[in-house]
Amino acid sequence: MTKDIFADRDIREKTLSRADVVALAASGQPCALTDCDLEEADLSRLDLAGWTFERCTLRRTNFTETRLEGSRWQSCRGALSDFTGADLSEARFLSGDFNNAAFRRARLGSASFRGCKLTGADLSDAKALDVVFEETLLINAKLPAFSFRKLTLRRVDFSQADLRKSDFRQTMFEDCSLREASLGGCHFDGADLRGADLGGLRLVDAGLFRGATISREQAGQLLAELGLIVR
């Protein structure tokens, strides 16, 4: 890439290396990358706060401990990308594929994921106050001890996810799935689970939902484990 392009903060259809991104970041002004290829690039520990990534290829891209506060991610393909320890406070992810991505120890305060695929993603030990999840797949994802307290979750699929010890107190579920999720040690006091698929849960798990609201149909599913029929 020539130095002339670095004067433009709107970069399109380029394959970028770490050196290219370092040069772009040197001015301290955010860049907008559209249809760019950063696959397997090492962008760790850079300051990319406020940057925009639209329709970018980010497969296996390394953002470890990168500053990404207020960044925007639109329709990106970031399977197996690594955001371990990154600062994604107030970041916005929309319609992206981040299957099997790593967000371990990432700062996700007030971040949002809408219309995203996060199947198999690892969000262990993430600092995640007030995160928004809507129309997002978190199938088989790792979110142990995650705080969803007082959030409204809309069309979020947690099927087979590791949610052990997570905080769902006063959480509202709207068209969500907890089917076969690991829920040991979770707290659901004050939660409204009427909009959640609880398939695969056993009656012995019913104690987890003490203080939560469930529907008659859901109660019937739990009692069916004892062979009882609820009419």
Side-chain angles (χ1 to χ4, degrees), residues 48 51-55 58 63 68 70-76 83 88 91-96 98 116:
L48 307 180
W51 281 44
T52 298
F53 301 82
E54 184 172 354
R55 298 190 303 277
L58 304 168
F63 292 103
L68 293 161
S71 53
R72 300 294 182 267
W73 310 76
Q74 168 77 48
S75 303
C76 291
F83 292 92
L88 288 159
R92 300 290 181 265
F93 291 83
L94 182 62
S95 302
F98 290 90
C116 292

Side-chain angles (χ1 to χ4, degrees), residues 73-164:
W73 310 76
Q74 168 77 48
S75 303
C76 291
R77 300 175 299 282
L80 298 166
S81 49
D82 191 350
F83 292 92
T84 299
D87 191 343
L88 288 159
S89 304
E90 300 185 2
R92 300 290 181 265
F93 291 83
L94 182 62
S95 302
D97 177 356
F98 290 90
N99 289 335
N100 298 303
F103 293 89
R104 295 183 298 273
R105 302 190 306 282
R107 292 183 286 283
L108 296 171
S110 299
S112 65
F113 296 85
R114 292 182 168 91
C116 292
K117 298 177 181 178
L118 292 167
T119 296
D122 188 350
L123 291 86
S124 302
D125 300 316
K127 298 176 179 63
L129 186 65
D130 296 326
V131 178
V132 174
F133 291 107
E134 291 185 0
E135 298 185 4
T136 291
L137 299 179
L138 283 158
I139 299 169
N140 204 37
K142 297 178 181 177
L143 302 103
F146 206 90
S147 178
F148 299 94
R149 188 174 185 182
K150 295 184 178 180
L151 298 183
T152 296
L153 301 172
R154 297 184 175 91
R155 293 177 290 284
V156 179
D157 192 342
F158 291 110
S159 299
Q160 300 179 324
D162 180 1
L163 297 167
R164 290 173 297 170

Side-chain angles (χ1 to χ4, degrees), residues 147-224:
S147 178
F148 299 94
R149 188 174 185 182
K150 295 184 178 180
L151 298 183
T152 296
L153 301 172
R154 297 184 175 91
R155 293 177 290 284
V156 179
D157 192 342
F158 291 110
S159 299
Q160 300 179 324
D162 180 1
L163 297 167
R164 290 173 297 170
K165 299 183 179 180
S166 289
D167 187 351
F168 289 101
R169 287 177 291 173
Q170 302 178 60
T171 301
M172 173 74 72
F173 292 81
E174 297 181 1
D175 197 16
C176 296
S177 178
L178 289 169
R179 179 173 288 273
E180 298 182 358
S182 298
L183 299 174
C186 287
H187 298 283
F188 287 95
D189 301 289
D192 189 337
L193 287 155
R194 290 174 293 181
D197 178 357
L198 303 180
L201 295 176
R202 303 164 299 165
L203 188 62
V204 293
D205 299 317
L208 293 171
F209 306 126
R210 185 175 291 109
T213 300
I214 63 174
S215 68
R216 291 180 181 275
E217 181 181 358
Q218 290 168 320
Q221 290 173 352
L222 292 171
L223 288 172

Side-chain angles (χ1 to χ4, degrees), residues 6 9 16-31 33 38 40-51 53 58 61-71 73 82-89 107:
F6 293 140
R9 314 311 297 166
L16 302 174
S17 66
R18 179 182 175 88
D20 294 330
V21 175
V22 168
L24 287 166
S27 71
Q29 298 299 313
C31 285
L33 307 184
L38 298 117
E40 298 188 353
D42 179 5
L43 305 183
S44 60
R45 300 175 178 81
L46 299 180
D47 185 350
L48 307 180
W51 281 44
F53 301 82
L58 304 168
T61 303
N62 184 3
F63 292 103
T64 300
E65 297 184 10
T66 298
R67 290 191 58 186
L68 293 161
E69 306 99 304
S71 53
W73 310 76
D82 191 350
F83 292 92
T84 299
D87 191 343
L88 288 159
S89 304
R107 292 183 286 283

